[in-house]
Amino acid sequence: QVQLVESGGGSVQSGGSLRLSCVASGVDYVRNSMGWFRQAPGKEREGVACIGSSGSSSHADSVKGRFTISRDNAKNTLYLQMNSLKPEDAALYFCAASSIYDLCSVSWSRQYAWHYWGQGTQVTVSS
């Protein structure tokens, strides 16, 4: 059974940093594209970053230069390093996986392209 388990969320002050992790099991992790999404209260879920099986990545304009997605295939783990956090970054962050190995090179932010989702980890940013 496929499982994606996020961790690393918490409360930080504006300008602070957090590193989120997502451990995948029961999925062909090496061949999968992996992504991070977030959803704030009253808002739609939005794509944050995507990384393909090749290691190529894409980041949403709102987080470019501040967030970095990476993966450690030996550990079946996905990461999101978040720096210079802003109050508007506060949200429930979700890890996602897709069997489309080159998804990140095209329109990856559409939710229907992602087959599996984690339960989410909460990020709170105070001003």
Side-chain angles (χ1 to χ4, degrees), residues 31-87:
R31 293 179 179 271
N32 279 19
S33 294
M34 301 292 295
W36 287 101
F37 287 73
R38 67 186 182 187
Q39 187 168 22
K43 296 184 178 180
E44 297 295 318
R45 188 173 298 184
E46 62 176 341
V48 176
C50 181
I51 186 166
S53 60
S54 67
S56 297
S57 63
S58 179
H59 297 76
D61 289 341
S62 60
V63 305
K64 285 182 179 178
R66 299 188 299 119
F67 292 9
T68 302
I69 189 171
S70 63
R71 64 194 297 168
D72 185 339
N73 291 346
K75 297 180 179 180
N76 279 13
T77 302
L78 176 73
Y79 302 98
L80 183 67
Q81 179 64 48
M82 304 185 294
N83 298 325
S84 301
L85 283 161
K86 305 174 181 179

Side-chain angles (χ1 to χ4, degrees), residues 5-9 19-23 36 77-80 95 121:
V5 182
E6 305 97 332
S7 63
R19 185 180 73 246
L20 306 184
S21 298
C22 171
V23 179
W36 287 101
T77 302
L78 176 73
Y79 302 98
L80 183 67
C95 172
T121 185

